[in-house]
Amino acid sequence: MEKNSDRQRSISLFDYISVFRSCDDIGIAEHFCTCSRDWKTENINSSYIVNATNFAIQSINDIIKHRIDLCQRLKLKKIISAEQLYLNENFLYKLSFITLPNNGVYETIVYKGEQKKFEFHSENFSIKSKNDISRIDSYGEQPWCVSKFGSIPGLMLDLRKFCFCFSKQA
């Protein structure tokens, strides 16, 4: 990697830092980017927002599907907020929502339309990757059944923020 490249994640304060450097350039997820953006509040009851949120939850369920013997499928409890941004010729939706049965609070960016290069995509919606779906509350002991595997690279995908384990058997 070139020393002064704008694509470099970290740069010394003594080196040149491009004024065009973006959150994407340094690996900050869009929903954590604090750059000034013109997000517009959306109606959380609109069918489009409900469908986009259900797509996000389906994406979470796709992440846990290979451990459905351990993790319960999630479904929508409530949409907390929805905002829209037009960026680089794309409509993005920042969604915050609560799922059942775990009462998990999640936030993600859903792109309008199919982006085949993204990890999750359908005809109407896309999410870049599982790393762009954040759990913003504490999951505590909910993922007890995968926590022993979740942090060991190569053993199992880190499911802790997504998995709500079935009840422990006595």
Side-chain angles (χ1 to χ4, degrees):
M1 184 183 301
E2 179 180 311
K3 183 176 179 172
N4 290 326
S5 169
D6 286 346
R7 301 299 297 178
Q8 197 172 354
R9 180 167 165 77
S10 60
I11 297 176
S12 167
L13 291 175
F14 300 108
D15 287 341
Y16 169 76
I17 300 175
S18 172
V19 296
F20 302 107
R21 191 170 172 194
S22 70
C23 288
D24 189 50
D25 290 335
I26 58 174
I28 296 174
E30 193 64 46
H31 59 282
F32 290 127
C33 186
T34 59
C35 297
S36 177
R37 302 291 172 111
D38 194 20
W39 288 97
K40 307 253 188 282
T41 301
E42 290 287 309
N43 178 355
I44 61 173
N45 297 313
S46 78
S47 61
Y48 191 83
I49 294 301
V50 171
N51 289 338
T53 305
N54 280 321
F55 171 78
I57 295 168
Q58 180 55 51
S59 299
I60 293 171
N61 285 329
D62 286 348
I63 294 166
I64 64 170
K65 72 181 176 189
H66 72 286
R67 293 315 318 220
I68 206 69
D69 58 321
L70 300 174
C71 307
Q72 298 184 47
R73 290 182 56 81
L74 303 181
K75 61 183 179 179
L76 179 61
K77 177 180 181 180
K78 177 183 178 183
I79 299 173
I80 300 169
S81 67
E83 298 174 276
Q84 180 192 65
L85 173 69
Y86 186 71
L87 180 68
N88 301 329
E89 300 183 19
N90 287 303
F91 283 101
L92 287 68
Y93 296 89
K94 185 189 317 184
L95 305 173
S96 297
F97 54 92
I98 301 172
T99 57
L100 288 173
N102 62 347
N103 285 308
V105 182
Y106 293 90
E107 185 173 271
T108 192
I109 300 289
V110 175
Y111 288 70
K112 180 178 183 177
E114 185 168 26
Q115 307 279 336
K116 292 189 183 230
K117 63 184 185 225
F118 289 0
E119 185 173 359
F120 305 101
H121 55 87
S122 69
E123 185 178 322
N124 299 315
F125 307 108
S126 301
I127 296 175
K128 280 186 180 179
S129 81
K130 62 186 163 289
N131 297 326
D132 292 314
I133 305 171
S134 298
R135 177 129 185 212
I136 57 176
D137 68 327
S138 175
Y139 49 74
E141 294 295 317
Q142 290 182 353
W144 66 269
C145 62
V146 296
S147 61
K148 62 181 176 243
F149 303 111
S151 298
I152 303 171
L155 188 55
M156 183 186 284
L157 170 68
D158 190 349
L159 299 175
R160 291 175 294 175
K161 66 182 178 180
F162 306 118
C163 184
F164 182 64
C165 299
F166 290 98
S167 297
K168 295 181 182 180
Q169 299 294 324

